[in-house]
Amino acid sequence: MGLLRFLRRHCFLFKAKTRNRVNPLQHIQSRGFSKSELFNDKDAVLPVLVIGAGPVGLVLSILLTKLGIKCAVLERNMTFSNHPQAHFINNRSMEIFRKIDGLVEEIQSSQPPVDLWRKFVYCTSLSGSILGSVDHIQPQDLEHVVSPVSVAHFSQYKLNYLLLRQLETLDFQVRAPESSEENDWPHESKILMGHECVSIDSSNGIVTVTASSIDKGRRVEKKFHCKILVGTDGAGSTVRKLVGIQMKGETDLQKLVSVHFSSKDLGQYLLKKNPGMLFFIFNTEAIGVLVAHDLRLGEFVLQMPFYPPQQTIEDFSPKACEKLISKLVGEQLDDINVIDIRPWVMHAEVAEKFISSGIFLAGDAAHRFPPAGGFGMNTGIQDAHNLAWKIAAVMKGIAPSSLLSTYEMERRPIAIFNTELSLKNYKAAMAVPSALGLDPTIANSVHKLINTGLGFLPHGLRKGALEGIFAIGRAQLSKTILDESNPVGSSRLSKLRHIFEEGKSLQLQFPAEDLGFRYLQGAIVQESNNLESTPQLSTGRRRDYIPSAHPGSRLPHMYVRVNKLNEIVSTLDLVSGDKVEFLLIIAPLKKSYNIARAAFKVAEERQILVKVCVIWPSGSAEGLNEGSETALSPWENYVDVVEVDRPSTSNWWKVCQMKESGAILVRPDEHIAWRTNLGLAGDPTVEMQRVFSAVLGIIYKH
């Protein structure tokens, strides 16, 4: 069954578009894993097997395939979910998506206009009093000063569909168990639905996965052999549990019920009255957070507190949810269509390790955050970006397998940092109900007390006691109390205004952390004189991103004009997404050209791909066409670019806080591997040997 045919049956459908295809898989060289086995029988060994077809698993599969590494995906569900789930795509993830042909353009054309989702609205009901609103988009967010692309508001299931379409252009197929024949080999470039991982064996340098599926009405088990297994199977990761990796952090922060529903009437009402992304609703009858996934389509998710065992999921039937939605709206709606109801638990945890004997964890399988700030899916996408080029480098024999250990060294500290940031942002969200006299910690304590202290009472009495106490708490939101003429209400409303004005409520964007995260150890050359050895602690509030060229940082963005093509691109575009290639950035100076020649020589000896970018000052003309050609001959893999004059930016080396005589080596994932600020005093060839040895783990023999 073809991918589009499968999706028409099981998934949200967008208008199909054509894509370019990539080059076929290259041979794996002898210095990495052993040469690629032929996929002609059931003992064939896949280079990479991915467990979980969510955004992280699909992005990883795309990046690996574009780099020439064959993989397959196992997904335990029979169909792709239409539950919206995550919806905020941050700057760094959108930059990664720019490496996937046409994906950013499709997201931008399909998402709602930014003016429909830039605000968080706090109110007593959707038709009642507005307690305040916060605009989370600043002018610089849309001006592409620090990034060539803006953030996006796009539901996860729609993103999944676009990623699946991208995989189709790379010759992937989606297969259901009943469509698989006994001789349906090889499994490379396939997403096998309805296959649940039940055991993992990583002995003898090969990872063997046993997966269970229903085939023609009977349960069968199949074995899959791979060099590398990546678990991207979500917060309840089966891979993580089978491998025995524990999570560390705070559990059961809050239990909630997520109600996916549609109402075009509500969407049109909010479009006209007060459009926004999140609506925090507090009234005497109900409390909830409404996520407007698309006001134009009338697609929403309502998040409400959930207190089991007094409450059960059966208490949230479609009819009960319709009544709750009407209470939060403040009036009856006739077109509410409840699509899906799901309970979930909020955690703030990170796996003790991300790697175990050829098995890797990424995304929610490796870290579970509160949804405050949208770091969950975005951190996972960045995990995939970090891991893909390293797997490809090892598979192609560019680097030894030790390079893979740097994945955990780099990504786990980022996950821990983002967990703490999400927790701070979640606690900031709790400041609003606390200011209104509804301290969530008290509600949780009351619930715990009823569970423990009143456990001897029948279930019905305990449930009634809980509802009665919560009703008394919600009475704090009555119009009588929450009024400027009431001293208590006036004080609370004043406190609320200060929270909004001082940026102490829930935040949407964190530019400093989103674009400014930095690897302090791993596949980088550390600077001995670096005074910024640790990242600045997050305040939980928005801070501006300051470009940095320190090793481990993301390459700063600046627009440049490619000389021969006369095309304006971002410096990030100079890094290839289709091959494991390093980028060396220099100025057109004799000493810098010497560094470039040394890099070419060392790379040629070690079969490493390197491209040199020569950045010329704005207005350069003399020597531009001949300078680099003469200085770098006989090597030809270089590009001359000229700085583009923009009022908001200075020249490239000032942006990087470096001298013009410096040089920057950029990894295939757009992070800086090494730099020199003042040129090299010694032999540049010896230095470049040292650099590539440190970054890739190569041992040079003299």
Side-chain angles (χ1 to χ4, degrees):
M1 182 187 300
L3 178 61
L4 285 178
R5 182 178 164 197
F6 185 91
L7 292 172
R8 287 188 185 106
R9 288 175 53 192
H10 299 299
C11 193
F12 186 89
L13 193 59
F14 282 74
K15 183 178 179 182
K17 296 180 181 178
T18 59
R19 292 285 179 278
N20 296 325
R21 298 184 184 275
V22 299
N23 294 327
L25 177 67
Q26 299 178 21
H27 292 293
I28 299 173
Q29 299 176 32
S30 60
R31 284 191 294 115
F33 286 124
S34 60
K35 66 180 180 179
S36 178
E37 289 83 0
L38 296 175
F39 294 86
N40 56 9
D41 57 48
K42 294 182 182 179
D43 294 323
V45 180
L46 284 159
V48 182
L49 181 63
V50 179
I51 308 292
V56 177
L58 297 181
V59 168
L60 178 62
S61 300
I62 291 170
L63 296 177
L64 285 172
T65 305
K66 284 173 70 66
L67 291 171
I69 303 302
K70 295 290 187 181
C71 62
V73 184
L74 301 184
E75 169 55 48
R76 66 182 180 88
N77 293 308
M78 288 293 296
T79 61
F80 296 100
S81 171
N82 280 350
H83 198 89
Q85 296 175 284
H87 56 96
F88 180 67
I89 308 175
N90 69 17
N91 255 149
R92 187 63 189 128
S93 294
M94 288 293 281
E95 289 178 350
I96 294 168
F97 287 169
R98 293 176 80 245
K99 299 297 183 185
I100 302 175
D101 298 339
L103 180 58
V104 163
E105 290 78 10
E106 288 188 289
I107 291 171
Q108 290 173 331
S109 64
S110 300
Q111 72 169 347
V114 68
D115 286 344
L116 302 186
W117 53 266
R118 62 192 299 160
K119 292 182 180 180
F120 290 176
V121 179
Y122 299 80
C123 56
T124 57
S125 74
L126 296 179
S127 59
S129 301
I130 302 297
L131 300 171
S133 68
V134 180
D135 187 344
H136 291 281
I137 302 295
Q138 297 184 7
Q140 61 265 36
D141 299 330
L142 306 175
E143 293 170 356
H144 298 169
V145 175
V146 297
S147 175
V149 65
S150 301
V151 299
H153 173 44
F154 195 64
S155 303
Q156 181 174 316
Y157 77 99
K158 297 178 184 178
L159 174 62
N160 261 14
Y161 178 76
L162 295 184
L163 295 171
L164 287 164
R165 270 230 318 261
Q166 289 285 338
L167 282 166
E168 183 190 41
T169 70
L170 301 175
D171 293 329
F172 263 72
Q173 297 176 347
V174 174
R175 294 291 184 92
E178 64 269 17
S179 69
S180 301
E181 302 294 334
E182 282 296 315
N183 61 352
D184 184 25
W185 296 82
H187 284 315
E188 62 182 42
S189 301
K190 289 185 177 67
I191 301 174
L192 302 178
M193 306 297 292
H195 285 70
E196 183 171 6
C197 178
V198 294
S199 71
I200 300 172
D201 179 8
S202 58
S203 59
N204 300 322
I206 298 293
V207 182
T208 299
V209 173
T210 303
S212 172
S213 64
I214 303 295
D215 189 358
K216 299 175 182 176
R218 61 189 180 91
R219 183 164 291 281
V220 297
E221 290 189 349
K222 300 176 187 176
K223 292 188 182 298
F224 299 83
H225 308 287
C226 60
K227 291 288 187 181
I228 288 177
L229 174 69
V230 186
T232 61
D233 50 339
S237 173
T238 299
V239 172
R240 186 184 67 233
K241 292 172 183 175
L242 288 174
V243 176
I245 296 176
Q246 302 298 314
M247 302 290 281
K248 278 190 171 182
E250 297 187 38
T251 61
D252 296 341
L253 291 169
Q254 191 174 7
K255 294 181 174 66
L256 300 108
V257 169
S258 177
V259 182
H260 179 204
F261 73 96
S262 66
S263 170
K264 287 193 174 181
D265 288 348
L266 179 57
Q268 291 301 309
Y269 174 79
L270 291 173
L271 278 173
K272 294 174 184 176
K273 183 183 179 183
N274 202 5
M277 177 192 283
L278 299 185
F279 296 83
F280 299 82
I281 310 165
F282 307 94
N283 65 45
T284 57
E285 296 188 89
I287 293 172
V289 179
L290 185 72
V291 185
H293 281 262
D294 197 326
L295 292 175
R296 302 167 304 173
L297 300 176
E299 183 173 30
F300 301 92
V301 168
L302 176 63
Q303 305 282 5
M304 293 178 291
F306 180 41
Y307 295 97
Q310 289 74 34
Q311 292 179 332
T312 65
I313 195 62
E314 286 73 25
D315 293 329
F316 295 88
S317 66
K319 284 293 182 186
C321 288
E322 286 179 19
K323 290 180 181 178
L324 284 167
I325 292 166
S326 295
K327 289 176 181 178
L328 293 168
V329 171
E331 59 183 57
Q332 187 68 36
L333 293 171
D334 296 327
D335 72 334
I336 296 175
N337 175 32
V338 176
I339 301 166
D340 192 17
I341 303 165
R342 295 185 180 185
W344 64 282
V345 184
M346 188 187 299
H347 303 287
E349 297 179 295
V350 177
E352 287 185 318
K353 55 184 180 178
F354 286 13
I355 306 173
S356 176
S357 302
I359 301 162
F360 297 76
L361 300 180
D364 287 354
H367 39 73
R368 309 191 290 199
F369 308 148
F375 279 96
M377 180 181 72
N378 290 294
T379 304
I381 288 167
Q382 291 148 33
D383 290 342
H385 193 221
N386 182 286
L387 185 57
W389 79 270
K390 294 175 180 177
I391 290 176
V394 172
M395 290 285 184
K396 290 174 177 289
I398 296 168
S401 58
S402 59
L403 175 66
L404 296 173
S405 66
T406 66
Y407 167 68
E408 179 178 311
M409 294 167 65
E410 293 179 354
R411 292 304 302 168
R412 191 168 182 273
I414 301 300
I416 292 170
F417 184 90
N418 287 350
T419 303
E420 294 169 353
L421 178 57
S422 298
L423 262 175
K424 287 180 180 178
N425 204 23
Y426 166 68
K427 290 174 181 177
M430 297 300 101
V432 171
S434 295
L436 295 173
L438 297 171
D439 190 335
T441 58
I442 295 176
N444 291 333
S445 297
V446 167
H447 181 227
K448 185 176 180 181
L449 177 63
I450 288 175
N451 283 338
T452 55
L454 302 180
F456 60 90
L457 292 177
H459 172 78
L461 289 178
R462 281 184 282 127
K463 182 176 182 179
L466 183 72
E467 291 176 349
I469 293 170
F470 283 174
I472 293 171
R474 290 195 303 271
Q476 301 293 313
L477 303 169
S478 68
K479 291 182 180 179
T480 305
I481 294 177
L482 209 59
D483 188 278
E484 290 287 2
S485 61
N486 184 314
V488 174
S490 178
S491 173
R492 289 176 177 176
L493 292 172
S494 176
K495 187 182 295 185
L496 200 60
R497 284 192 294 272
H498 284 299
I499 289 173
F500 296 145
E501 290 167 0
E502 295 172 10
K504 293 182 178 179
S505 61
L506 180 69
Q507 299 296 297
L508 177 65
Q509 291 204 72
F510 293 88
E513 291 79 13
D514 170 11
L515 297 174
F517 70 87
R518 178 183 167 207
Y519 304 135
L520 298 179
Q521 59 177 339
I524 63 171
V525 180
Q526 298 174 336
E527 295 181 323
S528 58
N529 62 344
N530 180 21
L531 299 178
E532 297 181 12
S533 58
T534 57
Q536 185 177 346
L537 291 176
S538 172
T539 62
R541 303 186 205 174
R542 174 172 176 143
R543 291 189 294 116
D544 289 336
Y545 160 72
I546 300 173
S548 168
H550 287 293
S553 300
R554 157 212 175 255
L555 178 69
H557 153 73
M558 181 176 169
Y559 284 114
V560 293
R561 179 178 285 103
V562 180
N563 182 42
K564 291 185 178 179
L565 301 177
N566 198 29
E567 178 184 357
I568 294 177
V569 302
S570 167
T571 45
L572 296 168
D573 297 327
L574 301 171
V575 182
S576 174
D578 299 326
K579 49 193 170 185
V580 182
E581 180 181 71
F582 287 81
L583 177 73
L584 181 67
I585 300 176
I586 62 171
L589 304 175
K590 182 178 180 180
K591 286 187 176 181
S592 299
Y593 280 127
N594 288 339
I595 296 173
R597 291 178 64 84
F600 275 136
K601 181 181 177 182
V602 172
E604 190 173 70
E605 291 171 354
R606 304 302 304 181
Q607 298 181 325
I608 301 167
L609 291 178
V610 170
K611 178 169 69 177
V612 171
C613 171
V614 185
I615 295 190
W616 295 73
S618 175
S620 294
E622 186 177 350
L624 182 57
N625 292 321
E626 301 84 20
S628 298
E629 182 178 359
T630 302
L632 297 176
S633 179
W635 289 285
E636 298 179 350
N637 193 24
Y638 68 88
V639 59
D640 287 306
V641 302
V642 181
E643 296 170 354
V644 174
D645 273 332
R646 297 240 168 168
S648 55
T649 58
S650 54
N651 73 42
W652 168 251
W653 300 104
K654 286 183 179 178
V655 167
C656 294
Q657 303 177 49
M658 290 177 61
K659 303 292 185 181
E660 191 181 30
S661 55
I664 299 171
L665 184 68
V666 187
R667 307 188 321 190
D669 63 351
E670 301 168 358
H671 281 260
I672 294 169
W674 164 87
R675 73 167 181 177
T676 176
N677 199 10
L678 298 172
L680 299 178
D683 184 343
T685 300
V686 173
E687 175 62 9
M688 295 316 298
Q689 286 178 337
R690 183 186 77 86
V691 167
F692 283 112
S693 175
V695 173
L696 295 173
I698 298 170
I699 299 175
Y700 283 92
K701 296 179 180 179
H702 297 284

